[in-house]
C-alpha cells in the first residue's frame, strides 16, 4: 500500500517518449528521465492536437505527488492523448497527506471539478458512494488480479476503481548471499533447511536466516522489516507477520484467509460470530496467535537496528539495503525496486513471498466521479489505464508491476528482458495472486485503529512493555470502542458489507 510517509518522496514527473506503431506500443523502449518539483500542489497538462473526429474535451485527474501517483498519471496521459487526440488530460496533484481531504471536500459538495479521482484501500469506503460503477464495456474485470482489486476496487462483484498496478509487500533479497553455493551449504548443515526463501514455511526460518547472517558476520543486520509507527509502516508490518498465524487458525479466519474484505482484513476475525454483539467482526490479534506474531516480530527486530536508535520505514529501507553488507534483504513493496539508485545492487535483487507463500496487498485506485461532466472520456481513459498495453509500458518505464494478467504474459514473452527482471515479474505475479494480508479499510483505520495498535506493538518491540498479551488486549479494547463509535455514526455496517473473498486454504508457494 502506498503509506502516508511515501509523500515525503520528491514529486517526480516522468517524461517518456515511446514511438508508436499503428495501434500498438513499442513495448521495449525504456527511457527513464525524471525532474523534481517541490510545490505544495502541482498541475500538468499534456496538450494534444484537436481531432477532426470530435470536439476537444479536457478531463481532470486528481492524485498525489510522486512517481506512483502524479508520475504514473502524467505518463499514462501522454500515451493516451496519442491515441485520443481530441481528449486532453489535466493532472492535478497534492501531497499524499492532503489529496484525500481535497477530493472528499469536492465530492461531498457535489462538485464536478475532478473527473477521475485517486484513492487507496485505507479510505476506499469513503469514496465508493461517489464513484461510477464500471462494466465490461470499459473494463475487462477477468483480466484484473482479484486479491488486489478486492482491497477496494471491486466490491460486492461491482468494480468502482482500477488499480494502477500490483502493489504487494514481499521479500527483496540479494542473490549474492542467498544463491551463494558456499553459504547455502553452510546454512543447510547448520540449520537443516534450505537458504532459498521460496522454500521457507514459517517465520522461525526467517529468524534462523537472520541469526546465520549476523552471527557469521556476513552482514551487519538481518532481514529488515518496517518498525516505524505512523504512515502505515508498523501497521502493515504487523499485519504481514500476523497473517501467517491467521491463515493457520480457522477459529480466527473462519476459513477466510483474507478476512472480511474490503473493510476488515486479517486483523479482524473472518466472520461475525454469534456470540459477538456488534455489527463488525471482533479484533483477531488479541489472541494466542496475535501474541505469537508479536513475539516473532520482536525476534526479527532484534536482528535489526535497535528501534530506540533507528526505526526502519518505507522511506529509508531502500537506502539501508544499498549500504554494503548492511542487510541480506528486506520486506518492501515491489514498486520500491524503482527507488534503488545503484544498478549493480538492483541486478542482484530477487523477490520471494513471505514464508508460507503469501504477501501483503496494497494498491492505488482510480475511479470516475459520478459528478463528472465528461464521463465517457473519463471512462475511456480508465479503460486505457487498465489495458495490458499501458500496464506493460509502465513496467518498462517506471517498474510499475501490472494489475493486468495478460500484461504479465506479454512481459514474459519478451526474451530481451534481463533474467533478474523476469524473476521479479514471476514473483510479483505469484505474490499478487496470494496477497492475503491487508490492513482494515474502514474510515477510521489510519486515524484511530493504526495508532492504537502501533502504540502497543512498538512499546513491546522497544522493551517498554513486557506483557505482549496485555498490550494486544489493550489495543483490541480501543479498537472495539472506536468501532462502536464509527458504526453508530455511519450507515456502513457489516450487514451491508460485500461478500468476503473466500479461499479455503493457502496455496503451496512455488518459485515460478
Amino acid at each position: 500500500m502506498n503509506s502516508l510517509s511515501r509523500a515525503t518522496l520528491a514529486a517526480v514527473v516522468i517524461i517518456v517518449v515511446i514511438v508508436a506503431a499503428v495501434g500498438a506500443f513499442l513495448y521495449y523502449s525504456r527511457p527513464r528521465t525524471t525532474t523534481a518539483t517541490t510545490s505544495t500542489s502541482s498541475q500538468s497538462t499534456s496538450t494534444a492536437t484537436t481531432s477532426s473526429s470530435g470536439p476537444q474535451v479536457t478531463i481532470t485527474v486528481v492524485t498525489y505527488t510522486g512517481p506512483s501517483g502524479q508520475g504514473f498519471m502524467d505518463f499514462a496521459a501522454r500515451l493516451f492523448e496519442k491515441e485520443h487526440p481530441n481528449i486532453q488530460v489535466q493532472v492535478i496533484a497534492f501531497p499524499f497527506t492532503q489529496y484525500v481531504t481535497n477530493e472528499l471536500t469536492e465530492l461531498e459538495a457535489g462538485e464536478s471539478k475532478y473527473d477521475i479521482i485517486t484513492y487507496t484501500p485505507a479510505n476506499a469506503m469513503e469514496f465508493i458512494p461517489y464513484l461510477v460503477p464500471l462494466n465490461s464495456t470499459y473494463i475487462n474485470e477477468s483480466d484484473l488480479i482479484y486479491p488486489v482489486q478486492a482491497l477496494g476496487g471491486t466490491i460486492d462483484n461491482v468494480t468502482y476503481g482500477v488499480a494502477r498496478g500490483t502493489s504487494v509487500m514481499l521479500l527483496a533479497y540479494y542473490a549474492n548471499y542467498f544463491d551463494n553455493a558456499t553459504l547455502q551449504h553452510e546454512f543447510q548443515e547448520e540449520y537443516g533447511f534450505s537458504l532459498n526463501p521460496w522454500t521457507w514455511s514459517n517465520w522461525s526460518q526467517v529468524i534462523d536466516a537472520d541469526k546465520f547472517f549476523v552471527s557469521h558476520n556476513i552482514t551487519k543486520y538481518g532481514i529488515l522489516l518496517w518498525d516505524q509507527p505512523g504512515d502505515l509502516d508498523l501497521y502493515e508490518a504487523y499485519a504481514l507477520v500476523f497473517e501467517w498465524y491467521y491463515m493457520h487458525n480457522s477459529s480466527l479466519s473462519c476459513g477466510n484467509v483474507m478476512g472480511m474484505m474490503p473493510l476488515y482484513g486479517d486483523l479482524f476475525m473472518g466472520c461475525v460470530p454469534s456470540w459477538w454483539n456488534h455489527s463488525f467482526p471482533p479484533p483477531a490479534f488479541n489472541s494466542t496467535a496475535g501474541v505469537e506474531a508479536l513475539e516473532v516480530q520482536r525476534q526479527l527486530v532484534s536482528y535489526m537496528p535497535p528501534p530506540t536508535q533507528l526505526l526502519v520505514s518505507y522511506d529509508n529501507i531502500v537506502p539501508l539495503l544499498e549500504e554494503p553488507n548492511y542487510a541480506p534483504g528486506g520486506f518492501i513493496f515491489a514498486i520500491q525496486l524503482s527507488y534503488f539508485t545503484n544498478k549493480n545492487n538492483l541486478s542482484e535483487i530477487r523477490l520471494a513471498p513471505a514464508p508460507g507463500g503469501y504477501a501483503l496487498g496494497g494498491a492505488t485506485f482510480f475511479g470516475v466521479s459520478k459528478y463528472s461532466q465528461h464521463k465517457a472520456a473519463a471512462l475511456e481513459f480508465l479503460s486505457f489505464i487498465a489495458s495490458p498495453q499501458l500496464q506493460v509500458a509502465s513496467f518498462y518505464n517506471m517498474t510499475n508491476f501490472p494489475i493486468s494478467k495478460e500484461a504479465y504474459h506479454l512481459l514474459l514473452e519478451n526474451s530481451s528482458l534481463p533474467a533478474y527482471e523476469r524473476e521479479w515479474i514471476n514473483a510479483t505475479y505469484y505474490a499478487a495472486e496470494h496477497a492475503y494480508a491487508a490492513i482494515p479499510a474502514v474510515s477510521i483505520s489510519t486515524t484511530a485503529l493504526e495508532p492504537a495498535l502501533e502504540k502497543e506493538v512498538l512499546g513491546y518491540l522497544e522493551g517498554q512493555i513486557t506483557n505482549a498479551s496485555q498490550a494486544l488486549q489493550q489495543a483490541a479494547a480501543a479498537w472495539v470502542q472506536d468501532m462502536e463509535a464509527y458504526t453508530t455514526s455511519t450507515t456502513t455496517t457489516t450487514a451491508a458489507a460485500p461478500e468476503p473473498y473466500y479461499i479455503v486454504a493457502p496455496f503451496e508457494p512455488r518459485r515460478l
Side-chain angles (χ1 to χ4, degrees), residues 36 60 100 139 141 167 169 186 266 280 302 311 317 394 433 451:
T60 301
V100 169
I139 305 297
E141 295 171 284
S167 185
M169 184 193 289
E186 291 179 2
D266 64 345
F280 54 89
S302 71
L311 292 168
I317 191 168
S394 67
E433 292 279 11

Side-chain angles (χ1 to χ4, degrees), residues 152-228:
T154 301
I155 297 173
D156 216 4
N157 296 318
V158 178
T159 297
Y160 295 92
V162 172
R164 175 203 68 230
T166 292
S167 185
V168 288
M169 184 193 289
L170 65 178
L171 173 61
Y173 63 94
Y174 282 109
N176 56 304
Y177 296 128
F178 286 85
D179 293 349
N180 181 291
T182 300
L183 295 181
Q184 287 177 334
H185 178 74
E186 291 179 2
F187 184 83
Q188 181 76 44
E189 288 292 309
E190 188 170 346
Y191 293 95
F193 63 94
S194 173
L195 189 58
N196 180 358
W198 281 86
T199 68
W200 296 348
S201 59
N202 58 65
W203 284 94
S204 295
Q205 292 178 312
V206 182
I207 295 170
D208 286 339
D210 286 346
K211 189 184 305 180
F212 173 75
F213 284 111
V214 174
S215 65
H216 288 257
N217 296 313
I218 301 167
T219 57
K220 183 176 182 180
Y221 296 111
I223 292 169
L224 302 180
L225 179 69
W226 303 338
D227 57 4
Q228 176 172 287

Side-chain angles (χ1 to χ4, degrees), residues 20-323:
V22 178
F25 290 103
L26 180 60
Y27 294 151
Y28 309 130
S29 64
R30 35 170 86 209
R32 289 176 178 169
T33 304
T34 63
T35 57
T37 178
T38 57
S39 59
T40 301
S41 65
S42 58
Q43 176 176 315
S44 58
T45 303
S46 184
T47 304
T49 304
T50 303
S51 170
S52 59
S53 63
Q56 183 75 20
V57 175
T58 298
I59 59 173
T60 301
V61 178
V62 61
T63 188
Y64 52 85
T65 54
S68 60
Q70 182 182 10
F72 176 87
M73 273 301 184
D74 281 338
F75 168 74
R78 284 170 173 80
L79 295 185
F80 177 76
E81 290 175 346
K82 289 180 181 294
E83 292 193 356
H84 303 80
N86 65 308
I87 302 177
Q88 185 181 49
V89 181
Q90 175 179 263
V91 180
I92 297 176
F94 296 87
F96 200 96
T97 53
Q98 300 174 18
Y99 88 98
V100 169
T101 300
N102 181 281
E103 289 179 343
L104 287 176
T105 298
E106 298 293 331
L107 293 171
E108 289 167 356
E111 296 291 336
S112 59
K113 183 177 181 179
Y114 304 135
D115 298 292
I116 293 180
I117 63 172
T118 303
Y119 66 99
T120 58
N123 45 54
M125 300 312 293
E126 294 180 82
F127 284 96
I128 296 304
Y130 302 107
L131 300 179
V132 175
L134 308 175
N135 58 47
S136 58
T137 301
Y138 292 96
I139 305 297
N140 181 6
E141 295 171 284
S142 64
D143 186 46
L144 306 180
I145 298 175
Y146 186 77
V148 176
Q149 279 292 121
L151 297 172
T154 301
I155 297 173
D156 216 4
N157 296 318
V158 178
T159 297
Y160 295 92
V162 172
R164 175 203 68 230
T166 292
S167 185
V168 288
M169 184 193 289
L170 65 178
L171 173 61
Y173 63 94
Y174 282 109
N176 56 304
Y177 296 128
F178 286 85
D179 293 349
N180 181 291
T182 300
L183 295 181
Q184 287 177 334
H185 178 74
E186 291 179 2
F187 184 83
Q188 181 76 44
E189 288 292 309
E190 188 170 346
Y191 293 95
F193 63 94
S194 173
L195 189 58
N196 180 358
W198 281 86
T199 68
W200 296 348
S201 59
N202 58 65
W203 284 94
S204 295
Q205 292 178 312
V206 182
I207 295 170
D208 286 339
D210 286 346
K211 189 184 305 180
F212 173 75
F213 284 111
V214 174
S215 65
H216 288 257
N217 296 313
I218 301 167
T219 57
K220 183 176 182 180
Y221 296 111
I223 292 169
L224 302 180
L225 179 69
W226 303 338
D227 57 4
Q228 176 172 287
D231 300 338
L232 305 182
D233 292 351
L234 184 55
Y235 197 24
E236 290 177 327
Y238 180 77
L240 176 70
V241 176
F242 178 67
E243 172 62 30
W244 188 94
Y245 299 89
Y246 187 81
M247 69 184 186
H248 287 88
N249 188 328
S250 60
S251 296
L252 294 177
S253 68
C254 307
N256 180 15
V257 298
M258 285 188 74
M260 296 180 66
M261 293 299 295
L263 284 177
Y264 301 111
D266 64 345
L267 296 178
F268 285 94
M269 283 184 63
C271 61
V272 180
S274 59
W275 50 263
W276 183 249
N277 298 319
H278 300 283
S279 59
F280 54 89
F285 57 82
N286 56 328
S287 58
T288 301
V291 171
E292 290 176 350
L294 184 53
E295 290 174 344
V296 161
Q297 193 166 359
R298 185 166 70 173
Q299 291 182 68
L300 294 169
V301 169
S302 71
Y303 291 98
M304 290 166 43
T308 54
Q309 298 177 19
L310 176 66
L311 292 168
V312 178
S313 69
Y314 181 101
D315 287 333
N316 67 17
I317 191 168
V318 169
L320 293 176
L321 287 173
E322 291 207 283
E323 291 187 22

Side-chain angles (χ1 to χ4, degrees), residues 229-233 235 444-446 448-455 479:
D231 300 338
L232 305 182
D233 292 351
Y235 197 24
I444 60 168
S445 182
T446 58
L449 304 187
E450 178 187 357
L453 179 60
E454 287 185 336
K455 175 185 175 183
W479 275 36

Side-chain angles (χ1 to χ4, degrees), residues 443-507:
S443 299
I444 60 168
S445 182
T446 58
T447 57
L449 304 187
E450 178 187 357
L453 179 60
E454 287 185 336
K455 175 185 175 183
E456 305 299 333
V457 170
L458 183 62
Y460 187 73
L461 297 181
E462 292 181 335
Q464 298 174 3
I465 298 174
T466 57
N467 190 317
S469 177
Q470 183 178 350
L472 294 176
Q473 291 291 350
Q474 289 178 346
W479 275 36
V480 172
Q481 182 177 350
D482 290 333
M483 286 298 297
E484 285 178 337
Y486 167 71
T487 54
T488 299
S489 63
T490 180
T491 58
T492 304
T493 65
T494 301
E499 287 295 315
Y501 178 49
Y502 189 86
I503 300 176
V504 175
F507 295 107

